[in-house]
Amino acid sequence: MSDELNIEVILKERAKLVEEWKIMDELVLAYKSSTPKVNPIWDISSNSINFNDISKEILDSGMEIYTASYDEVWAGIFEPSIYDKDTLWKNVHDSRKIARAIKAWEEKKALSPLFFVKHGSKDLALVADGKHRLTVARYMGCNNIPFMIQSSASSWLKKAIPSAIKI
């Protein structure tokens, strides 16, 4: 491929990305001025595991999906205040990701469960993937939260989230 053609492809991709960001930024502004009330919908199928930002090695080792009440999840995660409903539009979160989760649930799309790992020195869960979904779910008053953990590393779960039920 010639350098000219390569540069044209890169410029087209960049223009497309800039347009997508512009659309998301407009959505963020609209949602910030009037955040719609949505009902979080979760995809708890085994296939949903593939739609998270989790390394292939972890996925290959096996995953299990659980659910628990929001209160139990809240009590069992490390530094839950980061995900509190008052932080929805704060700089601690990527506003585009918050808007994307709201938009998906507004369109009745199911999103994959959160991914928890054990905190290094405490019997608490760390949110490894799904921080924005958790924050939006908290804001919307979600009663139950589905989450995934690595099958081989589940011994800490009953201490962190005692009511967790495997799906």
Side-chain angles (χ1 to χ4, degrees):
M1 181 179 283
S2 72
D3 287 342
E4 281 183 29
L5 196 54
N6 195 18
I7 290 170
E8 287 179 31
V9 170
I10 291 170
L11 290 175
K12 283 181 184 178
E13 288 174 0
R14 184 166 187 237
K16 182 181 174 188
L17 187 59
V18 167
E19 187 60 30
E20 288 172 8
W21 284 352
K22 181 181 173 190
I23 292 167
M24 285 308 299
D25 287 343
E26 290 170 1
L27 190 61
V28 166
L29 287 174
Y31 284 167
K32 277 185 176 181
S33 69
S34 179
T35 305
K37 184 73 173 161
V38 297
N39 183 33
I41 304 165
W42 303 97
D43 179 357
I44 55 172
S45 70
S46 58
N47 193 37
S48 71
I49 292 170
N50 298 319
F51 295 104
N52 284 279
D53 191 16
I54 304 170
S55 75
K56 184 174 176 1
E57 294 79 23
I58 292 174
L59 289 174
D60 289 346
S61 72
M63 302 292 282
E64 295 175 346
I65 300 176
Y66 288 82
T67 189
S69 71
Y70 198 98
D71 292 336
E72 284 274 336
V73 169
W74 193 253
I77 59 176
F78 182 69
E79 295 187 354
S81 60
I82 295 169
Y83 316 105
D84 204 359
K85 58 188 172 186
D86 297 334
T87 69
L88 188 70
W89 297 114
K90 302 290 185 207
N91 287 339
V92 69
H93 300 295
D94 179 336
S95 294
R96 290 179 182 134
K97 289 183 178 182
I98 292 289
R100 215 173 304 145
I102 293 170
K103 184 176 194 283
W105 283 333
E106 191 175 35
E107 294 173 351
K108 309 283 188 246
K109 292 181 183 170
L111 299 179
S112 59
L114 314 172
F115 175 51
F116 291 163
V117 295
K118 183 190 181 301
H119 182 281
S121 62
K122 303 176 188 316
D123 284 326
L124 291 172
L126 287 174
V127 183
D129 187 61
K131 296 168 180 69
H132 299 89
R133 283 169 275 161
L134 178 60
T135 304
V136 173
R138 172 76 172 172
Y139 184 88
M140 298 300 167
C142 189
N143 292 325
N144 290 301
I145 302 291
F147 57 91
M148 300 178 286
I149 61 169
Q150 204 171 353
S151 301
S152 62
S154 62
S155 59
W156 59 272
L157 180 61
K158 282 299 176 187
K159 290 180 184 173
I161 307 172
S163 70
I165 299 169
K166 188 175 176 181
I167 296 177

